[in-house]
Amino acid sequence: MTIILSNVDKIFKISHERRDTLFSKFSSIFGGIKYENFYALKNINLEIKQGECIGIIGENGSGKSTLLKLISKILVPTKGNVISRGKIVPLIELGVGLQDDLTAKENIFLYGTIMGLKRKDIKKRFNGIIEFSGLKKFIDTKLRSFSSGMRVRLAFSIAIQTNPDILLLDEIFALGDKEFQEKSLKVLNKFKKDGKTILLTSHNLNVIKGFCEKTIVLHKGEIIKFDNTNDTIKYYEKIKI
Amino acid sequence: MLKNWDLIKELTWSDFKLRYNNSILGFFWSFIKPLLMLTTLYIVFSLLINIKIENYPLFLLLGIIIWNFFYESTTISMNNMIAKRSLIKNVYLQRKVLVISSCLNALITLFLNLIIFFIIALVIGLKINLLGILILILMIILLFIMSLSVSYILGAYYLKYRDLIHIWEVLLQIGFFITPIAYNTSIIPREYLFVYMLNPIARVLTYSRNTLLYQLNPDIMGILFAIAFSLLLYIIGLIIFKERSKYFAEEI
């Protein structure tokens, strides 16, 4: 098993007014402030084997991103255990950490190290990154003048160089133009063939169908179905949530 | 820390480059700022209040440089926790690299400032001895560890309590006056000196000045105390930060 979640709850405390200053903390001692417990995930039990490619679907706010963040250790569970083996690369918000006022080249080194690469590895793979992104002409341009599509292309090209054991993808196929999407899909298929474990959230059921053998349906923080993709999607379309 | 060294280097360097981005004088501000402060304080304390201290310009400049480092490293660290919040939220990285890189960023400024210090020292004709330099290096290391530790503690709570920065700015203002930056410890009554020297920055400053500017023998006991103090502070800071950092991603 590469990923095991047992009895995992994730509760976010939500206050209806933002109380994040000491002053409001003090006043809340006297005034009494009500936090609401929001179950982002509830009693999750999940086992994923190495090399599996799992789709995650569900309505907005159903806990898809929270699940990926727990697996990648960005968040800690309120209850239960999350165990994972191998190097995890979460692509949750692609391009986070890119700096507008640095050139594409400088950003490759910055973003690469953020994604866990060593400087010398980035140097080695530099040409590969540039080539894949198709941004050779803009290598010394500041990112400020990049379009959002170009940013995503750059970020994705760097991220796939990290050689992960487990890849977590959040809505990744909403990004870039068609040509780049096809290119990305090719890379992901190669990852799949190489036996990497991939978790993928998407609202695009066709992507899930084409890519994942098994699929999870999340609804209000709970797994309501985890089965092979065809059955799961049929079920999902039937209940129409 | 070694495992993340490449990341720390990249973050430090890119932040340093971006710090003076879009400014005409660029990183020359690192030189200009302490000199402007030196001029102001010199006019106030030497010409108006008439403090008599040997080598006063260098005395003052070293005080400003060291205080500046403490000031910058702690405030940059806090601001960096906010500036890098999207990283905290979406990428798994050791959160302490954000604090370490902020303090290293301030350290670059410290070195640039020290260049000015030594140029002025050469021009004035100060005799610089090796022991003075060694003590200064040791003191900078201790100063770095202490500032890093304080930054850990501040950074650990800043995401949750955003008014910490305002409280901290007031404390820094008080700190400026209870640290011997513009005056020396001889004006402190003897019986209160021990209490006064509980301020670790006061120790760092006094010891480095004594050997570097006045060729006095170093106070071994005092230096050992400072070493022990900074190590203890480091352990406390790291424990607090580690414990709190689990919740950073949901506090933003």
Side-chain angles (χ1 to χ4, degrees):
Chain A
M1 292 295 164
T2 320
I3 304 168
I4 302 173
L5 284 85
S6 40
N7 304 317
V8 170
D9 282 355
K10 181 66 200 174
I11 301 174
F12 290 121
K13 280 197 176 2
I14 298 179
S15 65
H16 293 290
E17 258 171 277
R18 267 189 82 103
R19 308 258 182 170
D20 50 9
T21 63
L22 277 175
F23 177 75
S24 53
K25 182 88 175 174
F26 282 129
S27 52
S28 71
I29 293 172
F30 303 107
I33 147 176
K34 285 176 195 77
Y35 281 113
E36 198 183 317
N37 276 346
F38 171 73
Y39 274 86
L41 288 174
K42 210 179 201 170
N43 195 27
I44 301 290
N45 287 290
L46 189 61
E47 293 186 351
I48 293 167
K49 292 190 203 76
Q50 161 134 27
E52 279 188 316
C53 187
I54 312 275
I56 304 172
I57 51 180
E59 76 278 9
N60 285 329
S62 57
K64 302 187 296 289
S65 299
T66 307
L67 182 61
L68 294 189
K69 284 183 180 182
L70 280 174
I71 294 171
S72 56
K73 299 191 175 72
I74 294 170
L75 290 171
V76 288
T78 312
K79 212 192 89 197
N81 280 313
V82 179
I83 302 166
S84 57
R85 209 164 296 139
K87 184 180 171 190
I88 302 178
V89 173
L91 299 185
I92 288 172
E93 194 98 354
L94 208 50
V96 151
L98 291 174
Q99 291 283 4
D100 268 354
D101 286 306
L102 297 177
T103 64
K105 187 177 177 181
E106 290 169 315
N107 266 300
I108 288 176
F109 283 97
L110 178 62
Y111 193 70
T113 49
I114 287 172
M115 297 308 286
L117 285 166
K118 292 261 166 278
R119 216 189 134 80
K120 63 174 197 302
D121 294 328
I122 301 171
K123 261 190 186 148
K124 235 186 285 169
R125 295 167 200 183
F126 191 79
N127 289 330
I129 294 171
I130 296 294
E131 206 166 298
F132 190 86
S133 68
L135 295 167
K136 196 163 189 170
K137 265 196 294 186
F138 304 100
I139 192 69
D140 290 314
T141 311
K142 283 191 176 179
L143 234 58
R144 185 170 290 288
S145 36
F146 272 40
S147 70
S148 54
M150 288 159 83
R151 267 159 208 272
V152 166
R153 265 152 66 188
L154 185 67
F156 187 76
S157 313
I158 301 164
I160 53 167
Q161 297 292 333
T162 48
N163 195 27
D165 301 309
I166 302 170
L167 196 61
L168 309 176
L169 305 166
D170 198 7
E171 286 297 339
I172 202 111
F173 292 102
L175 314 162
D177 56 18
K178 202 157 186 246
E179 191 199 331
F180 190 74
Q181 278 183 16
E182 278 162 14
K183 217 152 84 171
S184 316
L185 203 57
K186 226 182 262 170
V187 177
L188 294 183
N189 273 317
K190 189 180 173 298
F191 275 149
K192 201 171 141 184
K193 232 182 8 213
D194 292 346
K196 317 265 185 204
T197 312
I198 299 174
L199 271 75
L200 169 77
T201 77
S202 185
H203 287 291
N204 185 342
L205 297 181
N206 287 329
V207 169
I208 302 269
K209 256 185 217 164
F211 198 65
C212 309
E213 297 97 45
K214 289 165 89 180
T215 297
I216 296 169
V217 181
L218 277 171
H219 177 57
K220 292 187 173 163
E222 289 181 271
I223 295 179
I224 54 171
K225 181 118 179 130
F226 180 25
D227 211 334
N228 71 63
T229 299
N230 280 334
D231 291 352
T232 309
I233 286 183
K234 256 181 224 148
Y235 170 82
Y236 184 68
E237 281 170 337
K238 202 173 69 194
I239 59 169
K240 275 270 183 284
I241 35 177
Chain B
M1 179 159 164
L2 276 180
K3 206 180 74 195
N4 290 309
W5 184 236
D6 280 6
L7 173 59
I8 292 170
K9 255 189 338 201
E10 279 300 323
L11 285 172
T12 307
W13 188 234
S14 62
D15 282 346
F16 185 76
K17 271 192 284 192
L18 292 173
R19 194 165 165 194
Y20 297 112
N21 192 39
N22 294 330
S23 72
I24 297 163
L25 292 175
F27 84 111
F28 281 102
W29 278 114
S30 298
F31 300 118
I32 298 165
K33 272 198 281 189
L35 287 178
L36 287 177
M37 196 153 163
L38 173 68
T39 315
T40 317
L41 290 178
Y42 188 78
I43 290 171
V44 173
F45 285 95
S46 187
L47 303 179
L48 300 179
I49 303 182
N50 203 13
I51 277 190
K52 288 267 171 286
I53 292 173
E54 193 192 338
N55 263 335
Y56 191 57
L58 286 179
F59 176 96
L60 197 52
L61 187 56
L62 194 59
I64 292 168
I65 290 173
I66 285 184
W67 178 256
N68 240 1
F69 173 77
F70 182 67
Y71 183 97
E72 279 198 346
S73 54
T74 50
T75 47
I76 293 177
S77 294
M78 290 172 89
N79 289 328
N80 209 15
M81 296 298 289
I82 302 287
K84 298 284 193 304
R85 59 177 178 267
S86 51
L87 282 185
I88 295 175
K89 238 175 131 167
N90 295 305
V91 181
Y92 180 71
L93 42 71
Q94 292 254 306
R95 275 70 184 252
K96 63 181 182 188
V97 300
L98 299 177
V99 179
I100 296 172
S101 66
S102 305
C103 291
L104 285 175
N105 196 339
L107 194 65
I108 298 177
T109 310
L110 176 85
F111 284 133
L112 293 175
N113 290 346
L114 281 176
I115 293 173
I116 296 276
F117 175 86
F118 282 108
I119 288 173
I120 295 179
L122 282 177
V123 171
I124 291 181
L126 177 80
K127 265 192 254 136
I128 295 168
N129 55 344
L130 185 65
L131 185 64
I133 302 278
L134 288 178
I135 295 289
L136 180 68
I137 292 171
L138 177 63
M139 287 303 126
I140 289 175
I141 293 171
L142 293 185
L143 178 71
F144 184 82
I145 296 173
M146 288 189 280
S147 307
L148 181 65
S149 318
V150 173
S151 302
Y152 274 147
I153 298 169
L154 292 169
Y157 291 102
Y158 184 42
L159 288 177
K160 190 154 187 190
Y161 303 115
R162 296 290 168 86
D163 34 13
L164 204 55
I165 188 102
H166 305 296
I167 297 171
W168 184 242
E169 272 168 6
V170 174
L171 290 177
L172 280 172
Q173 204 114 81
I174 297 169
F176 182 86
F177 288 104
I178 60 167
T179 305
I181 294 164
Y183 56 85
N184 67 18
T185 50
S186 62
I187 67 164
I188 308 295
R190 271 227 157 273
E191 60 267 39
Y192 296 123
L193 194 59
F194 180 73
V195 180
Y196 183 84
M197 289 301 267
L198 285 179
N199 170 4
I201 311 287
R203 281 184 190 266
V204 165
L205 205 43
T206 309
Y207 300 151
S208 38
R209 276 170 177 162
N210 281 350
T211 35
L212 193 65
L213 297 180
Y214 306 119
Q215 285 83 37
L216 297 173
N217 283 327
D219 173 0
I220 302 289
M221 280 312 286
I223 289 176
L224 286 178
F225 178 86
I227 293 174
F229 181 87
S230 40
L231 291 181
L232 183 69
L233 194 63
Y234 180 75
I235 293 168
I236 294 172
L238 200 58
I239 290 174
I240 291 177
F241 192 83
K242 269 233 158 107
E243 184 50 36
R244 294 273 314 123
S245 67
K246 290 182 207 159
Y247 309 107
F248 284 171
E250 51 199 280
E251 281 171 354
I252 296 166

